[in-house]
Every structure is written in structure tokens, then in C-alpha cells.
Amino acid sequence: MKLLHIDSSIQGENSVSRELSATMVAHLKSASPGLEVTYRNLAQEPLPHLSGSYVAAIYGKGEPDAALKQDLALGAAIVDEFLAADVVVIGAPQYNFSVPSQLKAWIDRITVPGKTFRYTEKGPEGLLGGKRIIVTLSRGGFYGPESPVASLEHTETYLRSFFRFLGVEVEVILAEGLRVSPEQREAAITAARKRIAEMKAA
Ligand SMILES: Cc1cc2nc3c(=O)[nH]c(=O)nc-3n(C[C@H](O)[C@H](O)[C@H](O)COP(=O)(O)O)c2cc1C
């Protein structure tokens, strides 16, 4: 069994999504000690944004130069790493109402026609059925249906819709209201840790 562990917070050791993604990985490892874990920290090693020539090359257009060949090899490695994983755990903070641009750059690399989804006569079809994807999501405020800023929720909704497009219903561990008060922060983290401990591990 292979597990891909992704973090994308820029807040290093103080990151809540990172602490929770590590807790989730430890929970899964406790049930499957032989689990092979690959770790990728997108804040420490950011992926370059997509370029026009990269996208053209993906669709078989243009003649890649040396720099583009290197970028294509990186993109292929990222998508292969993702496809090889049985389980993917993603630490996803909410920044400015959505995912960090570092995580979006990774999403751009794994959204590859013919690999993770395909176009059919009935519309696009996800190719990742069978993969388990768990997101540990952290944010400063509250964005539930009752919240006056509910319409600014583009993180959980986006990640759920994106991975559904690829054929997977993600499991989301949410810690929110982290900047409301120290007590709320502690309560949200404790509740998220409890949820992780109760999740299916194998
Ligand atoms: C650049 C930046 C933008 C943020 N934007 C939001 C936001 O849109 N909504 C929110 O509720 N919290 C926001 N916050 C607070 C973070 O969501 C909060 O610090 C959370 O812990 C981030 O996860 P992390 O600790 O893993 O980095 C923002 C924080 C930073 C640093």
C-alpha cells in the first residue's frame, strides 16, 4: 500500500492543516505499519505554474526545448506519484477564501486528460475510482451554511468538487474558527484529532 502525504501551508511548524495531516498519516500507519509513505511539502518546494507551451505539449503540439522537457518530466513525475498512491492525505489551509496557490499548482499538474480523467460522449469522466483521498482543512473563521460569509467558502467546496470530477469522494477533516479565540482554536483542533482517531484506518 502506498500513501502520498501532501502539505501546502506556508505557516511551517505553526500550521494546523500540517499537524492534522501528520496525525492522519500516523493513524493510517498505526493500522498498516508497512505503508509506504511519500511526503511532498509544496510550500518548501513549490511547483512552477503551468505555462502555455507546457499545456500545448500535453496536447501534442509544438516542439519542446530543453527547459520545457524538464518541466514536462516534472509534471509526469507528479502525476505518476499521485496515480501510484492508494491513499492521499492533503493538508489544505484556507487562504483568501480558497486553497493556497502552491496547492493549486499541484492540482494543475495532476489534472491530465487520459491519466486522471477523460472526455467521453457523455461528458468528462474521472479515472480515479478506488483511490482514498483525505483532506485536513484548517481556517481562521466559520463558513458553514448559517455563516454570513458562507458564500465565500471556496476551499472545501472546491476540493470536494475537484476530486469528484476525478472520480473520488474525498473525506474532509475540518478545523475552523482557529482565529476566533484561543479556546475555539484548541477546541477545533481537539475535535479534529478525535475525528481522525475514529476514522477507518485500514
Ligand atoms: C495569507 C492568509 C490568508 C488567510 N485567509 C483566510 C481566509 O480566507 N479565511 C479564513 O477563515 N482564514 C484565513 N486565514 C487564516 C488561516 O486559514 C489559518 O491561519 C489556518 O490555520 C491556516 O492553516 P495552516 O495553519 O495550516 O496554515 C488566512 C491566513 C493567511 C496566512
Side-chain angles (χ1 to χ4, degrees), residues 9 11 15-17 93-97 138-141 143 179:
S9 169
Q11 302 199 94
S15 160
V16 174
S17 62
Q94 177 165 318
Y95 294 152
N96 300 320
F97 313 113
S138 52
R139 56 187 173 213
Y143 294 82
R179 293 207 172 168

Side-chain angles (χ1 to χ4, degrees), residues 13-31:
E13 295 300 314
N14 296 319
S15 160
V16 174
S17 62
R18 184 174 149 170
E19 199 238 280
L20 295 175
S21 71
T23 305
M24 186 70 230
V25 171
H27 178 63
L28 297 173
K29 267 208 113 174
S30 70

